[in-house]
Amino acid sequence: MRLRLTPRDTSFFDLLAASAQHLVTGSTLLAELLGADRPTRKQLAKQLSETEHLADDATHSIMRRLNQTFVTPFDRDDIYALASALDDCMDFMEEAADLIVLYKVDELPARVSEQVQVLQRASELTAEAMPRLRSMDDLPEYWVEVNRLENQADKVHRKLLAELFDDVSDPVLLMKLKEIVEVLEQAADAFEKVANTVETIALKES
């Protein structure tokens, strides 16, 4: 670890941890939404939207702190990239929930739950990893596992698309389901981007 002779604002670690914790809440709500009836889905989507607003607030707090702090714990561009990537994860999950409600999809393909399970696990790993940025300890296992999960999500995504084109004869429903599936895949990619950013930070700080 490089020796630092200047004080650092360590509040960034708390802010990043808070931002990641919102992802756990968001992915849990998304999982609950999949198996709910239509009225309950609306309520859960509303809760997820509220969580997304809280996540936005956390992101804005990080950005404000960046503008107010002269010496940061690590490269300020990396802090910006990490905060933005965390925000993207939440945005995609909230968008998927919103589309399910707006499109009034009664039944989702079974493999969609596999996509969301990946997001749940990725969110848990991310929330566990953010506090470890203070010491940079035990982070490689985090980004390796998230990359593995993203590869798993890619396979599920490809199988889902094949099944949709084989099984869904209604072209309008096909378009709706395909868009939901694609947004969930973007969420998995966003979690991988967070992990890659953490890896970049750790390598710079080693």
Side-chain angles (χ1 to χ4, degrees), residues 30-48:
L30 182 58
E32 291 175 9
L33 184 144
L34 295 186
D37 56 27
R38 197 178 288 181
T40 307
R41 280 181 176 177
K42 286 185 179 180
Q43 296 171 12
L44 291 168
K46 185 171 183 272
Q47 291 178 45
L48 211 164

Side-chain angles (χ1 to χ4, degrees), residues 26-206:
S27 64
T28 300
L29 289 168
L30 182 58
E32 291 175 9
L33 184 144
L34 295 186
D37 56 27
R38 197 178 288 181
T40 307
R41 280 181 176 177
K42 286 185 179 180
Q43 296 171 12
L44 291 168
K46 185 171 183 272
Q47 291 178 45
L48 211 164
S49 180
E50 291 167 354
T51 303
E52 191 272 336
H53 292 321
L54 293 174
D56 272 347
D57 290 342
T59 303
H60 294 152
S61 294
I62 294 169
M63 300 309 178
R64 283 195 299 271
R65 181 69 64 180
L66 272 177
N67 292 330
Q68 296 166 357
T69 304
F70 180 66
V71 180
T72 55
F74 39 86
D75 188 277
R76 72 177 55 241
D77 286 341
D78 289 332
I79 295 174
Y80 177 86
L82 184 53
S84 298
L86 289 166
D87 190 58
D88 287 343
C89 294
M90 179 60 76
D91 286 345
F92 286 126
M93 290 193 292
E94 193 267 341
E95 181 181 353
D98 200 34
L99 288 173
I100 291 169
V101 171
L102 289 174
Y103 286 164
K104 300 177 182 177
V105 177
D106 289 321
E107 187 174 351
L108 290 158
R111 286 191 192 275
V112 169
S113 66
E114 294 181 39
Q115 285 188 297
V116 175
Q117 285 169 17
V118 167
L119 300 182
Q120 283 185 283
R121 184 60 184 143
S123 67
E124 291 167 359
L125 290 168
T126 303
E128 292 168 3
M130 289 303 107
R132 299 205 295 269
L133 286 169
R134 288 180 183 272
S135 60
M136 296 291 168
D137 292 336
D138 303 321
L139 285 170
E141 61 189 35
Y142 153 67
W143 65 66
V144 168
E145 179 61 11
V146 170
N147 285 327
R148 187 196 69 78
L149 285 169
E150 198 279 330
N151 289 335
Q152 178 182 330
D154 282 344
K155 292 178 182 177
V156 172
H157 175 242
R158 289 193 293 269
K159 289 177 182 177
L160 249 173
L161 289 180
E163 289 174 1
L164 287 179
F165 284 108
D166 284 343
D167 301 338
V168 181
S169 56
D170 181 345
V172 175
L173 178 59
L174 176 61
M175 289 172 60
K176 291 177 178 179
L177 292 173
K178 184 175 181 295
E179 186 172 358
I180 292 165
V181 166
E182 294 289 359
V183 171
L184 290 171
E185 171 65 9
Q186 288 177 297
D189 290 342
F191 276 104
E192 184 183 39
K193 184 177 179 181
V194 172
N196 291 342
T197 304
V198 169
E199 181 178 9
T200 297
I201 292 167
L203 290 173
K204 286 182 179 180
E205 295 296 304
S206 62

Side-chain angles (χ1 to χ4, degrees), residues 3-35:
L3 177 65
R4 296 180 183 275
L5 301 177
T6 50
R8 300 179 300 165
D9 185 342
T10 59
S11 65
F12 285 106
F13 299 117
D14 295 329
L15 292 169
L16 289 166
S19 181
Q21 197 59 49
H22 291 310
L23 299 179
V24 177
T25 303
S27 64
T28 300
L29 289 168
L30 182 58
E32 291 175 9
L33 184 144
L34 295 186

